[in-house]
Amino acid sequence: MLILRWLASQALKAREILSVIVICGFTLWISNSSLESQKAWRNGFATTVFLPVHVVVERLHLRWGLEREIEDLRSENVKLRVENAALSEVAEVRKSLQEFEAIRPRLEFPLVSARVLSRDPVRLGGIWLLDEGRTKGIGEGMAVVSSKGVVGRILSASGNYSQLQSLADPDCRVAVVSTRSRNPGILHSPDGSGVYLEFSVTSDIRVGDSLVTWGAGGIFPRGLPVGRVREIRKTSTNILRHARIEPFQDPWEVRNIYVLLRPPSLRVMSEDSIGPTRPSNSGRP
C-alpha cells in the first residue's frame, strides 16, 4: 500500500513529464497504425474533443459579433434621432412661417426670428431667454409676436441674447381694443396664472369678443391679434370690469417667435401708463 502511495506521489510530481511521454508514445503508435485506425482515431477526436471546443468558439464569436452589431445599431439610432429632431425643427419653423403670413401684412417693421432657449422657473408668468440679441438689432421694449398673435415684449437685450416678458408676466400690460365695439381695455396678469382684461363698466365688451392691440403705446403696432374674451366678472366698486382672456398664443407652447424691429423714435411712451378709461390723445381708438 505504501508503495502505491509513493508511486502516486511521484506521478503527481512528474505529471508534466509523464504527459509528454504519453503524448509522444501515442503519437508514435498512431503514426505506425493502419490508415483505417488513424481515420477512426481522427473522427473520434473530432467528435469528442475538437467539436465542443469549436462550438464554444463559434458561440463566443457569434456573441461578440452580435454585441458589435447592437452597438452599431445603437449609434445609428442616436444619429437618426438627431437628424429626425433637426428635420422636425425645420418643419416646425416652416409651418410657423406659413402661419405667420396671415398677419405679416399688418406689420410695418422688419422682423428678426428667434427661439426660446429657457423659461424662468421662479418668476411665475414668464421671463424667457431668447437666442438673439443686440447683434441682430433687438432692443428693450420691442414687440414680440408669433404666428398666432402677440407673445410679449423685450425686457432686456445683450450681444447674442435677450429676455422676453410674456403677456402672462404680472409686470406686463398691453393696451387692446375689441374688434367688434372698438372699446379699449388693458390686458394684464395679476398673479401670472392667467391673463385678464381691465375695462370701464361703460365699455361694450362681451364674451366672445376678439381683442387686438390698440397701438397707442408705441410698442405694439395696431391690429395684432391678442386673445378672446371668455368670462366677464364684476367688481365691488362697480367702476371697472375684469374679463378672463384666452390668448391666441398659449405662452407655454410657443417656441419660435419674431421680434419687431422699429426705430427708437417710435418708442414714445410705455403702455403701462395707458389707462382703460383715459386713452392717449395721440392714439386713434
Side-chain angles (χ1 to χ4, degrees), residues 30 33-47:
I30 198 67
S33 301
S34 62
L35 294 177
E36 291 77 7
S37 180
Q38 293 179 8
K39 184 177 180 180
W41 278 99
R42 191 164 53 247
N43 293 335
F45 275 113
T47 55

Side-chain angles (χ1 to χ4, degrees), residues 73-88:
L73 289 175
R74 287 176 178 173
S75 301
E76 188 67 22
N77 186 40
V78 172
K79 293 180 182 179
L80 291 175
R81 285 180 181 273
V82 173
E83 293 177 0
N84 184 54
L87 292 175
S88 299

